[in-house]
Amino acid sequence: MSEDYRQYVSSPFSFCVSFDKAAAKVKQRVFGTLAFHGRLLFARLVQHSQLSPTEVKYGLSVLIQQQLVLWYNPEATVQSSYEADIHNSYALARCSKYTQLVKDRLGDLPSDIISNVAVLGYARVGDLTRTYFPTPGEQGPFHESIPVDPHPDRDDEPHAVELFHSTIGDLLRAGLLGLLHESHFRPAADNVLEAEHLVPQEYHASSKKAQRAAWETAVAKKLEDWKYGSKSAAKMVPPVGRGAKRALEEGEGQPNGKKTKLGKQSKSETHGAGPHLDSAGAGWLNNDLNLRLNHEKFSILMRNQQLVALVEESIGPTTAKVYAKLLRNVESHLRKCKTELDFAEDNEGDAELATLPRVSTDELTHVLHDMPDLADALALVDPRKVNLSLLEHPKKVRKRRKSQEPGGNEASVEGAVSSDESNNSSDNNRSDVSGIDHDSGSAKGDADYPGDRKHKTPDTTPDTTPKIEEPDHPLHTLRQHLFLLTEHPHRFLRHGPRTLITSETWVIPYPSLSQTLLHNALLNITVSRFGPLAGRLLRILSSTATATSSPPKLDEKALVLLSLIPQKPMRTLLHSMHRAGHIELQELPKDGNQRRPGTTSFYWFFDAQRMRRRMLEETYKTMGNLLRRARVEREGVRGVVEKSERTDVAGREDEFLGDEELKALQEWREKEERIWGEVARLDDLVAVLRDF
């Protein structure tokens, strides 16, 4: 395997190892106690963990900093309660995926910032700046956790600091980083109680039911602003451009007579603390801003990745690239990945389509410049070169040939044109019995009427601008790719036609696409366990099931007719799938409460949500077993691994390690790659089953 893949799969395990080295027993004991017992007060936590109060306080302080433990203290006189954050702790396994996504999109520096914020939990902008650019003679606050260049170029430091702030601003505006709020330290149930306490209940409504609904809407909005950030918090991020702006030289005039805005403090006073706007107008971020990872936005990016992979598998790579560009245009408008919207099919989903993200055709013009090979992927044919007569029915062709033979009765053949009619058509120059010339648009009988000449002057200037539906239009090829996505059975897009008010739009039906990803994942699991015949049965049972209707229930006779599988092997297959939790069985007795097998009907059905929960639990167990296997395998060669990780040995293993040690180290690294490759694959499945 390549070195990049080795670094990708080993970085989560390296983080876990560093977690074990730094006061491992205390933090693991505290976190494990909270994960096993649930929410505990401090006294109960000390009792169950069997640690001293000082050790528990130390472990809680580090775990709260890393956002692995939540706490809540409603009043100053009440003891605080603590709870393990399982979601954030699981996100540690995705740190390498997060950094790889950002590196592919934005580069190395944004990827490094994301990786460091993931390790720290949350961090202030000023602390990160002082760590990356320390002053001579002192170290930054995170120098032990963040490896940086100890001797930066002091001459280029102002521009580097500005680029650093600009990069963080780009990550904030992209939603990959978020602003920390005190609600992020509290459990979800306590946040609901706080929001209900802060939101007033006095709403002017026609009834108590409407007043209650308005109050619940206000509480939900308050919770959403706490979790994802409000609009007022977003205004704290200045529009910093990428790269440093050139400072005005002395004597240069200001454009439009405007004066340069200066910050309230000078650069020397604000380096490392406080808001700043330099003399060139380039804004620096407020150093008191606390940054955290926005896991919802990364879930959106991972879902887009899987959708693009599905398009590439179903249609082709070029159309998948067009779809990736379209999905990237709507990423900034999405705040959460999983919605509670029940998506209906066909005309029943018009109300839901209005709330889904959409992109106009004009917004995708940049795709033509990035992808000049769009037309080659479609293999379009000029309609004028297509012989439509080859598509006619053979019986009609034989009748036409018979009518063209000598002595054939042309008028008796249905659909055939007689020679007299053909001559009249050519002599009259494409005019019908009404006397209207279709080329000029005027009637022959009224051509000399003088009243029409002064009111209506024909425009003889031809319109050479091709319409968007014509092949010569630049966007025609792009629209053909979009129509492929619209007409596919998975319905990756929905088409919104152009009207007098709105332009042509393309809607991304995320709820139905998430259901498609879920059903494909469940189908692949079933096929891999029980074979293709089980996949056929699962497709039959889930063919008519939707998000708003109950799944169909079929007996064995109906399944035999639909699946074309013999009854005996199908019965064995159904029982195996039922024991594994892939399908469900309902018994319906015909003689009341007497459950005799001879008078009982058995109906099989597929419950996607029940199977999803079952497969998610099994996936968690598999990932836990893999992590334990990695820990056991590492213990067998711990001495060699620790020796190779020393700073004086890293990169020079051939000089300091013997042949047996090198062989053991190579075998361990190969096992590590396989184990973490499986963990990464299972994490993709967890994302489909839980996050999408």
Side-chain angles (χ1 to χ4, degrees), residues 414-489:
E414 181 182 359
V417 181
S418 62
S419 59
D420 296 337
E421 292 175 353
S422 178
N423 294 334
N424 292 336
S425 177
S426 60
D427 295 340
N428 293 335
N429 192 14
R430 297 175 61 190
S431 62
D432 55 12
V433 293
S434 62
I436 298 178
D437 189 356
H438 293 277
D439 293 336
S440 61
S442 61
K444 288 185 177 181
D446 300 331
D448 296 334
Y449 186 70
D452 286 345
R453 296 181 180 178
K454 61 181 180 180
H455 293 288
K456 190 175 182 180
T457 303
D459 187 8
T460 59
T461 304
D463 186 9
T464 59
T465 303
K467 298 181 179 180
I468 194 171
E469 293 83 2
E470 298 179 358
D472 297 334
H473 197 276
L475 295 178
H476 176 73
T477 306
L478 176 62
R479 294 177 73 252
Q480 296 303 313
H481 284 278
L482 297 177
F483 277 120
L484 282 178
L485 296 168
T486 304
E487 297 168 359
H488 193 270

Side-chain angles (χ1 to χ4, degrees), residues 277-488:
L277 288 175
D278 65 3
S279 58
W284 282 14
L285 295 176
N286 189 336
N287 288 323
D288 292 331
L289 292 178
N290 290 301
L291 307 177
R292 65 173 184 89
L293 286 186
N294 187 1
H295 299 286
E296 286 287 339
K297 182 63 70 172
F298 282 103
S299 298
I300 293 173
L301 300 185
M302 294 173 63
R303 179 179 61 183
N304 290 347
Q305 267 191 340
Q306 297 207 20
L307 288 176
V308 171
L310 183 60
V311 171
E312 185 175 0
E313 180 183 356
S314 305
I315 301 178
T318 305
T319 307
K321 293 178 181 179
V322 174
Y323 196 54
K325 296 283 186 180
L326 187 142
L327 294 178
R328 192 164 182 175
N329 278 9
V330 302
E331 287 175 358
S332 58
H333 304 290
L334 301 176
R335 302 182 70 177
K336 49 186 178 179
C337 181
K338 192 172 184 178
T339 60
E340 302 297 333
L341 181 64
D342 292 333
F343 191 82
E345 296 292 335
D346 300 330
N347 296 330
E348 297 178 0
D350 293 341
E352 287 83 355
L353 286 175
T355 61
L356 294 175
R358 61 187 64 237
V359 180
S360 64
T361 308
D362 299 334
E363 296 177 3
L364 299 174
T365 53
H366 63 279
V367 178
L368 300 176
H369 304 285
D370 299 339
M371 303 175 59
D373 57 340
L374 291 179
D376 299 336
L378 290 175
L380 297 176
V381 180
D382 191 353
R384 293 168 292 186
K385 297 181 181 180
V386 178
N387 188 5
L388 297 179
S389 61
L390 299 177
L391 305 178
E392 295 180 352
H393 197 275
K395 188 175 181 180
K396 190 174 184 179
V397 174
R398 287 194 299 268
K399 287 184 178 181
R400 181 180 294 108
R401 289 177 181 176
K402 185 176 180 180
S403 64
Q404 293 176 357
E405 294 177 358
N409 189 4
E410 300 177 3
S412 62
V413 180
E414 181 182 359
V417 181
S418 62
S419 59
D420 296 337
E421 292 175 353
S422 178
N423 294 334
N424 292 336
S425 177
S426 60
D427 295 340
N428 293 335
N429 192 14
R430 297 175 61 190
S431 62
D432 55 12
V433 293
S434 62
I436 298 178
D437 189 356
H438 293 277
D439 293 336
S440 61
S442 61
K444 288 185 177 181
D446 300 331
D448 296 334
Y449 186 70
D452 286 345
R453 296 181 180 178
K454 61 181 180 180
H455 293 288
K456 190 175 182 180
T457 303
D459 187 8
T460 59
T461 304
D463 186 9
T464 59
T465 303
K467 298 181 179 180
I468 194 171
E469 293 83 2
E470 298 179 358
D472 297 334
H473 197 276
L475 295 178
H476 176 73
T477 306
L478 176 62
R479 294 177 73 252
Q480 296 303 313
H481 284 278
L482 297 177
F483 277 120
L484 282 178
L485 296 168
T486 304
E487 297 168 359
H488 193 270

Side-chain angles (χ1 to χ4, degrees), residues 25 30 35 57 104 159 170 220-221 262 286 339 342 350 355 359 532 548 571 588 617:
K25 292 183 179 179
V30 172
K57 289 180 181 179
D104 296 340
H159 298 282
D170 292 342
K221 185 178 183 303
L262 298 176
N286 189 336
T339 60
D342 292 333
D350 293 341
T355 61
V359 180
T548 57
R571 181 177 297 176
L588 187 61
E617 182 181 356

Side-chain angles (χ1 to χ4, degrees), residues 536-690:
R536 184 190 304 178
L537 292 174
L538 194 67
R539 280 192 294 267
I540 292 173
L541 293 174
S542 62
S543 58
T544 58
T546 61
T548 57
S549 63
S550 59
K553 299 178 181 180
L554 304 175
D555 57 356
E556 288 187 359
K557 294 182 180 179
L559 285 175
V560 168
L561 295 176
L562 293 175
S563 63
L564 302 180
I565 302 176
Q567 186 176 9
K568 287 186 178 180
M570 188 192 68
R571 181 177 297 176
T572 304
L573 193 59
L574 288 174
H575 283 288
S576 300
M577 295 172 63
H578 176 59
R579 285 195 302 268
H582 291 239
I583 57 177
E584 303 298 331
L585 176 64
Q586 181 181 3
E587 300 179 3
L588 187 61
K590 298 180 180 179
D591 53 353
N593 297 327
Q594 298 180 4
R595 294 181 174 274
R596 292 182 295 180
T599 59
T600 302
S601 300
F602 298 93
Y603 293 93
W604 301 93
F605 65 96
F606 170 68
D607 192 343
Q609 296 303 321
R610 192 176 298 180
M611 181 181 175
R612 179 190 65 83
R613 291 190 293 268
R614 180 76 174 267
M615 295 300 105
L616 183 60
E617 182 181 356
E618 293 182 0
T619 306
Y620 283 151
K621 292 180 180 179
T622 306
M623 295 180 70
N625 293 334
L626 287 173
L627 295 177
R628 278 191 287 270
R629 179 60 183 268
R631 190 180 302 112
V632 171
E633 294 289 343
R634 181 185 173 86
E635 285 294 328
V637 291
R638 182 176 60 178
V640 179
V641 174
E642 291 180 353
K643 185 177 180 180
S644 65
E645 291 177 351
R646 286 165 42 184
T647 56
D648 57 335
V649 180
R652 304 167 60 186
E653 291 85 354
D654 297 336
E655 301 178 10
F656 294 94
L657 299 181
D659 295 339
E660 295 295 333
E661 292 177 334
L662 287 175
K663 183 179 179 181
L665 182 62
Q666 182 66 24
E667 292 178 355
W668 154 245
R669 287 178 175 176
E670 291 178 357
K671 292 179 182 178
E672 185 186 24
E673 287 179 358
R674 291 196 297 268
I675 290 174
W676 283 103
E678 288 296 322
V679 170
R681 185 183 63 84
L682 291 174
D683 178 63
D684 293 336
L685 181 60
V686 170
V688 176
L689 298 176
R690 188 193 67 179

